[in-house]
């Protein structure tokens, strides 16, 4: 005789689906006023750069800025190089500070830790939100720079450039529209990889504190310290391990052929910081008290 199965009402709740988790995190991240303000400031940077170049009475200077003055399509790469020094990492650090430390400060993290989500799923959800901010910030800079460069500066004269190219590289050669799109995609993916490393470190710090300002001070202060250490000749053996030392490699996409050495080494270093930050984040979230 088969014993009937009865329910006692004590079954564990079903885990929340990934789609619902990521959708909720995405809405929470992109609706924060401070994040919208930061994205607006990032969009304003290439516009101001283009206006400054147009209004300048001086002739084009050498190097990257000189190339921008003669070709508006170079502006996205220049804008990414400029904002990567501080503004892009700051946007990622703000998102990471709000993701864990901010929720802990407001008391909402306790509910997430007690919910049927799982610590690893919660860490993945928070990482997803910060990575979305990194991708959105990169895209905003590129799109704003493309529009500002094309409308205010304009492309070079193909006939004057000696061919049918729409972009003149720093090496003097010209690239067509397809090659320009490939170079911009390359620098966008590379920039996103660098920001992902910053995001992992910022999330690790955010998981270890309940004060968002500590996260901002640690990340931005660390980046500034890396920049200072990179200028000290006596610390040359340490410099290859500093994350910021490879951040000038993005301009290499404007050379022909592209020297992939700097892009590759900086990407490998960023991957190391990403793995280290993710490991600390996971360990801390698994041990964090509700």
């Amino acid at each position: 005789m088969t014993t009937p199965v009865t329910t006692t009402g004590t079954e564990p709740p079903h885990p929340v689906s990934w789609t619902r988790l990521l959708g909720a995190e995405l809405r929470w991240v992109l609706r924060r006023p401070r994040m919208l303000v930061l994205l607006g400031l990032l969009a304003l940077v290439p516009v101001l750069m283009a206006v400054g170049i147009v209004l300048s009475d001086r002739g084009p200077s050498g190097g990257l800025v000189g190339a921008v003055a003669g070709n508006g399509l170079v502006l996205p790469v220049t804008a990414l190089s400029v904002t990567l020094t501080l503004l892009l990492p700051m946007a990622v650090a703000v998102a990471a500070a709000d993701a864990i430390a901010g929720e802990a400060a407001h008391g909402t993290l306790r509910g997430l830790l007690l919910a049927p989500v799982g610590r690893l799923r919660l860490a993945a959800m928070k990482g997803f939100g910060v990575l979305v901010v990194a991708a959105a910030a990169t895209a905003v800079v590129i799109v704003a720079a493309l529009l500002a460069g094309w409308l205010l500066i304009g492309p070079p004269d193909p006939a004057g450039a000696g061919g049918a190219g729409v972009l003149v590289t720093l090496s003097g050669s010209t690239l067509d529209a397809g090659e320009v799109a490939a170079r911009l995609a390359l620098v966008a993916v590379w920039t996103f990889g660098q920001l992902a490393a910053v995001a992992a470190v910022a999330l690790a710090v955010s998981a270890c504190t309940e004060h968002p300002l500590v996260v901002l001070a640690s990340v931005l202060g660390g980046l500034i310290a890396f920049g200072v250490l990179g200028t000290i000749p006596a610390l040359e053996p340490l410099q290859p391990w500093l994350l910021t030392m490879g951040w000038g490699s993005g301009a290499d996409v404007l050379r022909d052929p592209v020297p992939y050495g700097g892009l590759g080494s900086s990407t490998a270093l960023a991957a190391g910081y990403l793995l280290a930050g993710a490991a600390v984040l996971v360990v801390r979230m698994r041990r964090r008290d509700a």
Side-chain angles (χ1 to χ4, degrees), residues 22 37 45 53 55 58 61 63 70-71 85 111 150 159 163-164 171 210-211 223-224 228 239 254 280 290:
L22 299 182
V37 171
V45 170
I53 292 172
L55 296 181
R58 296 172 297 179
S61 59
N71 184 357
T85 58
W150 186 272
S171 304
E210 296 182 356
H211 305 285
L223 294 178
I224 294 173
V228 173
Q239 292 171 0
L254 297 177
V280 174

Side-chain angles (χ1 to χ4, degrees), residues 33-285:
R34 65 170 64 90
M35 189 54 58
L36 297 178
V37 171
L38 279 174
L39 292 178
L41 290 176
L42 286 170
L44 188 61
V45 170
V47 175
L48 293 177
M49 292 175 62
V51 170
I53 292 172
V54 170
L55 296 181
S56 178
D57 294 330
R58 296 172 297 179
S61 59
L64 197 55
V65 175
V68 174
N71 184 357
L73 288 178
V74 183
L75 187 60
V77 180
T78 308
L80 283 177
S81 299
V82 171
T83 53
L84 185 58
T85 58
L86 184 60
L87 290 180
L88 284 174
M90 182 174 66
V92 172
V94 168
D98 287 336
I100 301 178
E103 293 217 30
H106 290 89
T108 55
L109 184 63
R110 177 180 174 83
L112 291 174
L113 293 174
L114 293 175
V117 175
R119 301 299 180 90
L120 293 180
R121 284 159 60 90
L122 179 59
M125 178 182 70
K126 294 302 182 181
F128 169 78
V130 179
L131 290 179
V132 167
V133 170
T138 303
V140 163
V141 173
I142 290 181
V143 172
L146 279 174
L147 293 176
W150 186 272
L151 295 176
L152 298 179
I153 301 176
D157 183 7
V166 298
L167 183 146
V168 179
T169 66
L170 296 181
S171 304
S173 59
T174 57
L175 304 175
D176 58 26
E179 292 172 318
V180 170
R183 300 288 181 97
L184 291 181
L186 174 61
V187 72
V189 172
W190 175 83
T191 302
F192 175 77
Q194 303 302 309
L195 293 179
V198 177
V201 175
L203 281 171
V205 177
S206 186
C208 297
T209 181
E210 296 182 356
H211 305 285
L213 289 180
V214 173
V215 182
L216 289 175
S218 300
V219 175
L220 298 182
L223 294 178
I224 294 173
F226 277 13
V228 173
L229 295 176
T231 62
I232 301 177
L235 299 178
E236 185 175 354
L238 179 65
Q239 292 171 0
W241 302 98
L242 302 178
L243 180 62
T244 58
M245 289 302 294
W247 282 2
S249 302
D252 288 345
V253 300
L254 297 177
R255 306 184 187 279
D256 195 24
V258 178
Y260 291 100
L263 294 171
S265 60
S266 57
T267 300
L269 183 61
Y273 277 87
L274 174 62
L275 293 176
V280 174
L281 171 64
V282 170
V283 171
R284 177 56 183 162
M285 291 300 293

